[in-house]
Amino acid sequence: MAVAAWQGCARLSWWRVRPAALFASRRGYSTMPVDDTINGLNEEQKQMRQTVFRFLQQHLAPKAREIDQTNEFKDLREFWKQLGHLGVLGITVPAQYGGSGLGFLDHVVVMEEISRASASVGLSYGAHSNLCVNQLVRNGNETQKEKYLPKLISGEHIGALAMSEPSAGSDVVSMKLKAEKKGDYYILNGTKFWITNGPDADVLIVYAKTDMSAVPVSRGITAFIVEKGMPGFSTSQKLDKLGMRGSNTCELIFENCKVPVSNVLGHLNKGVYVLMSGLDLERLVLAGGPLGIMQAVLDHTIPYLHVREAFGQKIGHFQLMQGKMADMYTRLTTSRQYVYNVAKACDEGHHTPKDCAGVILYAAESATQVALDGIQCLGGNGYINDFPMGRFLRDAKLYEIGAGTSEIRRLVIGRAFNEAFK
Amino acid sequence: MAELRALVGVKRVIDYAVKIRVKPDKTGVVTDGVKHSMNPFCEIAVEEAVRLKEKKLVKEVIAVSCGPKQCQETLRTALAMGADRGIHVEVPESEAERLGPLQVSRVLTALAQKEKAGLVLLGKQAIDDDCNQTGQMTAAMLDWPQGTFASKLTLEGDKVTVEREIDGGLETIRLKLPAVVTADLRLNEPRYATLPNIMDYEAARALGGHESQPPSSPVCGPPAFACSSLPLYLQLVPIGTRTCFLSSSNHGESSTLKLFPL
């Protein structure tokens, strides 16, 4: 086992620096325990959560505030390699390509723990490990998998996926990025927008229209693998977002970008199947994000309520605060059971778009509510940026929009029922 | 390839990040339902042993833990970090609170002799009791040289050079093997068990587990314990409460340990 990756990280001598310094820097806060027996995890998954949790609380959580304030993760590349070493970048990839060969439930748990430490890094992680890597695993041919997966799994390369455009978000099949075949290449022209990891990605899965006159419109979409450095491909400056700051998002520009024919992912004009089935799993795995945010809110709120005093007692003992704790906890736990169970079902091969949309719909809206409650519990302290409660709210809101807006998710579920009665 | 076997003691303690609460009856701290993990100094000791194995200076790393059933989780962590075998010396929950450095060092002494270990690596102290005694006592009982508070360890042939952190600064001593070394903070930075390691271990365990027959006669004074063994990686070695017994006979695959009274 290589230990070179660890040489660079200095371990804080935590047990010599407590307690005063810890409270001042807020690094030593007690996190709330997660009852994994109720969550239905097996021994391996419990151990995995423990390991990943310890690593992240040590190496990511202390940086979360700075990442949000500066809208930049300075040690991104180094951290990605550490994640690769842990084995979490290729969780669903079969062992033969260097992956961990695990399932969606394991992926959700890791996504949750990363988001608990820093939701923006969690989003980048989700985009890399599920949107890019998992799509390659499911749709790539042997050559493509062997070419691109190893470095994506080790953390040397960062992955991304591009479907949205400035005028095509929810209505993604109306995308205008054009791909015209010229000999051994496809020439791409157009732009993509809202692309997570856009500025940093080395490998991107891009959806483009290869047949502008297809009927229906969706039948003209093809997925491509684009590499940073391909002629004609560039990115413009990163977006200044409300939340998920540090998870770099930008516009992609294709000006006569030459992509080899061998980089077509899946089949020509069949990109919509790649896209839609990918969306289901994307929603499932990304649902781990709001779970992590809710857990982080609890981690900070519950201890605070038992430290802060008013009217001669700890405010956690007042009934209205008890009510808030109960509401936050039950929202988190119900969301968790839904997400974990659907993930388990997907691992067993039972995969329904209705539930994949349902889990992220419910988890995201719960997360926004829990984050709002978290701010309320901390009162004035919740309103200042010395405490992370504001960041939790800003980060949580994204999950109601990205990976299909709440409105679209509702449509998916409603239409699934309509289908059953056709 | 060296013939050296390293015995590493690991202790299950309350996690360092947990907010400790005193029991209402003031007899101790609340441990029920509280998150426990491997003692940080024990992690450093395991890491050092595994690094020595990677450098091919040590043939086998055996992790040992004394305590109730939950200690097996700690042993699992040690195995996922790279230890080859784990030995769980089972002490019932009711007696575990009275288990201290004296008892543990007796256990380690017996195990070191039984397993023919050439190097015993321990953490310098546990973060729950801060005793800082087990390593020293074990060395005295074994009559082996000791290098405590090690911040650097170099193995050369049958000698080990230990750089110790002491009050006055750093002291370098050279010990002839077999020896006992206790790890201090700056000895190394422990690795995180990688997902593939955790899964490999669990998969192998799932494949190979089988229980052997308990010995026909109880070997310990009341209460009697059955000796079961989980092959492949874990061996359960029960010990009695007041007195720890031994049986030098082997009952098929299982054998109990000859130890002397607690």
Side-chain angles (χ1 to χ4, degrees), chain A residues 300-364:
Chain A
H300 283 82
T301 312
I302 316 269
Y304 180 90
L305 290 174
H306 294 90
V307 163
R308 176 82 182 179
E309 287 189 20
F311 304 109
Q313 45 171 311
K314 307 267 190 279
I315 61 175
H317 292 271
F318 295 132
Q319 286 183 329
L320 289 173
M321 286 298 125
Q322 289 170 334
K324 283 237 162 20
M325 288 192 281
D327 287 337
M328 291 194 291
Y329 179 69
T330 46
R331 284 204 171 94
L332 166 56
T333 314
T334 46
S335 305
R336 228 188 219 139
Q337 304 323 314
Y338 192 15
V339 178
Y340 285 13
N341 275 301
V342 175
K344 238 184 253 177
C346 281
D347 283 336
E348 285 158 21
H350 182 76
H351 173 158
T352 49
K354 188 170 78 197
D355 289 292
C356 293
V359 294
I360 194 170
L361 170 65
Y362 193 74

Side-chain angles (χ1 to χ4, degrees), chain A residues 1 3 9 11 13 15-16 18 30 43-44 47-48 50-51 53-55 58-59 85-86 102, chain B residues 16-17 19 35 40-41 43 54 76 124 185-186 189 191-195 197-199 202:
Chain A
M1 279 168 276
V3 290
C9 347
R11 201 174 229 216
S13 54
W15 51 85
R16 288 191 183 179
R18 36 156 85 145
S30 266
E43 281 306 316
E44 308 174 339
Q47 173 106 342
M48 180 182 65
Q50 278 310 317
T51 310
F53 166 72
R54 281 185 53 206
F55 169 75
Q58 184 80 20
H59 294 278
H85 184 81
L86 264 183
L102 299 172
Chain B
Y16 79 92
K19 189 171 156 68
K35 178 149 162 255
F41 294 106
E43 280 177 9
E54 286 169 352
R76 265 201 271 271
K124 72 170 179 181
L185 185 62
R186 277 163 282 274
E189 165 119 21
R191 66 194 61 190
Y192 294 92
T194 63
L195 256 54
N197 278 357
I198 297 173
M199 298 307 161
E202 296 284 343

